[in-house]
Amino acid sequence: MALKMGQSSKVAVIGAGTAGLLTARELQREGHRVTVFEKADKVGGTWLYSSQVESDPLGVDPNRQVVHSSLYRSLRANLPRQAMSFLDYPFLKKEGGDDQRSFPGHEEVLRFLEDFARDFGLMELIQFGHEVIRVELVDEVNHEWVVESKTRVTDSTWESKEEVFEAVVICNGINTEPKIAEFPGRDTWPGLQMHSHSYRFPQLFENKIVVLIGSGPTAFDLVREISPLAKQLHQAIRTPGFMLIKPENYDNLWQHSMIACAHKDGKVEFQDGSVVDADVILHCTGYKYHYPFLKSDVVTVDGEHVGPLYKHVFPPSLAPWLSFVGLNYRAILFRVMELQARWVAKVLSGKAELPSQEEMASSVEKLYRELEMTGRSKHHTHRLQNGEVEYVSWVAAQSDTRFPRRWEEISFNTVVKQVLYCGEDYRDAWDVDKWIQEIDSSD
Ligand code: FAD
């Protein structure tokens, strides 16, 4: 559908984390009328650390009080700040600032996002304390979307309201709904099971025999943090991924294949045949896509995949009036979100054009076929990694955005390569400034 150049739409953005803030800024720049709904009382999303944890440490009880952020107290970014900069808003080390590190602590990332929101006048667009509970297309012809949100009035009462928008951009984050490992005996195993979403600090594991499932960045951090306190630490790994940890550097760490089954007497058996009498199973197994508020027959969400989405952003038959920003992973995410946000804003103002609905749908089908042909599950749909540079260039081109050549050099894969080279202490061992200088001078 062709939009009029310079068209201004009334747009709802759900969430004021990195994706929501970037989207609000781009929409505002394009002259749209923007309302951001944010259930918390501050910006930052994931980067808004909370010492609070959920009542169900595994995060499976649908009636639990959800805590949004999955950060642990000690968390430092796993990407250098240069890779978390926005195009025209670099994440600089502040003179005299509290945290000058290339891999800053979470408080510094939050400060960066707060500064960004303030400097671009985004705070005024945000309705804090408003949780969106329903997004529904009520008039297909005029593309009218109802956004229903609730806000707390007293400790026990809520008030809800409905508002109509022409377009909705979903930016509610992908790191809140735990995905847990499946194995026989899991539900009757007598010890403590928790997901890393509810992990804050290691004291709980003192003198315990711990089985930690996973090998991603969180598993890496938590192995290092828990092992000095635990009696024994057993890491169950499905596919060697982010294998920075060398068990020979630890005197109480063993690595195993996945759990074969858990027994009622507390024993945990691994597929490699070894058995341990464990106290705790810690699932560092990632998160599921979750959109409880989205009432749509068009968009399917199966936990690890959302679709159909043209280039991870627009459902073809609802484009451009519904979009998603920030679904991807294994990429330099802030950059991907910024470009997706800009694309959405420009499409809505008629400055960028989408292909026909049929063409978008066939592009999605093509991606699914490619996944199938290369033996990857549909659950890898939104994982960029090897396709990151190509995708970033493609999205940038949609909004005529030029980016520095260093962006082609600094990708998820090149960062991982450096991290593996620097080893377990990569955050302090890697001279990132020098690396960037070398990249820039090779232009
Ligand atoms: P979020 O930051 O999750 O923000 C979503 C927002 O939506 C939240 O404010 C939430 O309150 C709000 N919201 C949700 N549902 C509703 C609703 N129904 N109504 C209203 N508001 C709602 N990325 C990096 O680039 N570098 C790192 O070092 C890094 N480390 C990470 C470490 C951990 C442990 C985790 C979990 C993630 C890490 N990430 C990192 C990825 C990180 O998630 C992204 O960087 C980014 O913060 C995601 O932004 P987002 O806006 O998509 O989601």
Side-chain angles (χ1 to χ4, degrees):
M1 164 193 244
L3 280 95
K4 276 198 288 308
M5 180 80 107
Q7 180 166 331
S8 161
S9 294
K10 184 180 177 199
V11 189
V13 175
I14 302 171
T18 312
L21 293 174
L22 284 163
T23 301
R25 180 186 66 159
E26 296 302 331
L27 289 168
Q28 196 181 35
R29 274 179 167 170
E30 285 300 314
H32 299 294
R33 288 150 287 143
V34 188
T35 302
V36 182
F37 293 91
E38 170 51 61
K39 66 181 177 179
D41 54 7
K42 291 189 178 122
V43 299
T46 288
W47 297 98
L48 195 58
Y49 171 79
S50 168
S51 56
Q52 225 190 319
V53 289
E54 296 177 358
S55 47
D56 170 12
L58 255 190
V60 289
D61 176 1
N63 299 317
R64 72 197 189 280
Q65 175 91 38
V66 172
V67 174
H68 185 80
S69 177
S70 303
L71 292 192
Y72 26 98
R73 196 171 54 188
S74 65
L75 186 133
R76 284 174 69 184
N78 52 34
L79 291 176
R81 61 168 76 224
Q82 291 90 337
M84 294 173 73
S85 292
F86 303 141
L87 253 182
D88 53 0
Y89 197 83
F91 187 5
L92 300 172
K93 295 176 191 179
K94 278 193 194 146
E95 224 169 280
D98 290 341
D99 190 347
Q100 302 278 336
R101 296 171 297 179
S102 289
F103 291 85
H106 58 83
E107 301 88 343
E108 175 80 353
V109 182
L110 180 61
R111 277 193 289 272
F112 168 66
L113 294 175
E114 286 169 343
D115 289 349
F116 174 76
R118 244 178 259 116
D119 289 352
F120 285 95
L122 305 178
M123 293 295 191
E124 296 82 75
L125 307 177
I126 305 171
Q127 298 202 0
F128 288 107
H130 281 74
E131 177 175 355
V132 171
I133 51 175
R134 182 167 64 103
V135 170
E136 190 169 5
L137 180 62
V138 289
D139 182 339
E140 270 182 52
V141 180
N142 298 308
H143 50 89
E144 283 184 2
W145 295 84
V146 164
V147 173
E148 184 179 357
S149 61
K150 64 171 190 178
T151 184
R152 193 181 278 285
V153 184
T154 68
D155 275 356
S156 57
T157 54
W158 295 80
E159 207 170 74
S160 72
K161 65 165 187 188
E162 290 182 2
E163 206 176 333
V164 174
F165 292 87
E166 287 160 280
V168 177
V169 191
I170 299 183
C171 304
N172 66 325
I174 63 168
N175 294 123
T176 295
E177 190 70 15
K179 182 166 76 188
I180 55 173
E182 305 278 345
F183 47 83
R186 187 191 66 197
D187 299 337
T188 48
W189 189 73
L192 168 68
Q193 289 194 65
M194 63 186 282
H195 188 275
S196 55
H197 175 63
S198 287
Y199 174 94
R200 296 293 179 268
F201 33 76
Q203 278 68 20
L204 185 66
F205 301 90
E206 192 158 4
N207 261 325
K208 297 278 194 288
I209 300 181
V210 182
V211 172
L212 181 151
I213 311 172
S215 58
T218 295
F220 166 77
D221 282 347
L222 301 196
V223 162
R224 281 163 56 87
E225 186 158 284
I226 291 170
S227 72
L229 287 178
K231 192 195 269 178
Q232 292 178 16
L233 185 52
H234 298 267
Q235 188 181 8
I237 299 170
R238 184 173 48 194
T239 41
F242 201 69
M243 294 296 289
L244 258 185
I245 298 278
K246 304 266 174 289
E248 56 273 23
N249 296 340
Y250 298 76
D251 54 16
N252 63 346
L253 173 67
W254 292 265
Q255 286 179 334
H256 305 265
S257 47
M258 283 306 276
I259 295 176
C261 60
H263 298 276
K264 283 192 185 137
D265 63 0
K267 293 203 171 41
V268 174
E269 199 176 321
F270 298 94
Q271 287 166 358
D272 60 18
S274 52
V275 178
V276 294
D277 211 345
D279 302 303
V280 188
I281 299 178
L282 175 59
H283 297 242
C284 300
T285 39
Y287 297 90
K288 296 193 273 199
Y289 293 106
H290 192 56
Y291 307 96
F293 48 80
L294 183 60
K295 310 296 169 215
S296 165
D297 301 331
V298 172
V299 183
T300 313
V301 182
D302 76 358
E304 294 173 273
H305 157 261
V306 186
L309 288 184
Y310 177 58
K311 302 286 181 187
H312 313 287
V313 174
F314 292 107
S317 63
L318 300 172
W321 311 112
L322 183 70
S323 55
F324 292 76
V325 171
L327 289 195
N328 299 99
Y329 59 99
R330 298 225 185 162
I332 308 283
L333 297 174
F334 281 24
R335 176 190 302 174
V336 170
M337 291 174 191
E338 182 173 17
L339 292 170
Q340 290 175 335
R342 193 169 288 194
W343 182 32
V344 169
K346 295 244 183 200
V347 168
L348 285 171
S349 60
K351 292 189 189 151
E353 213 178 309
L354 289 175
S356 70
Q357 188 178 316
E358 294 69 31
E359 284 168 306
M360 289 192 275
S362 82
S363 157
V364 181
E365 284 306 320
K366 186 167 165 255
L367 172 65
Y368 293 164
R369 272 199 307 279
E370 275 166 17
L371 287 168
E372 208 179 310
M373 274 157 56
T374 49
R376 287 173 293 161
S377 115
K378 222 172 175 182
H379 292 161
H380 289 175
T381 305
H382 308 300
R383 170 167 149 170
L384 288 179
Q385 198 156 357
N386 297 333
E388 178 184 1
V389 177
E390 194 191 333
Y391 178 75
V392 164
S393 306
W394 187 91
V395 185
Q398 304 315 299
S399 56
D400 276 333
T401 300
R402 287 177 172 274
F403 54 76
R405 206 192 67 79
R406 68 156 79 153
W407 275 31
E408 285 166 27
E409 299 294 326
I410 306 170
S411 65
F412 180 84
N413 279 345
T414 54
V415 168
V416 167
K417 203 166 134 195
Q418 290 292 326
V419 166
L420 290 169
Y421 176 75
C422 293
E424 281 191 33
D425 288 318
Y426 73 91
R427 288 183 173 97
D428 295 312
W430 177 4
D431 187 344
V432 182
D433 293 338
K434 189 164 159 233
W435 184 62
I436 301 269
Q437 268 169 19
E438 279 166 10
I439 290 173
D440 286 349
S441 63
S442 70
D443 269 1

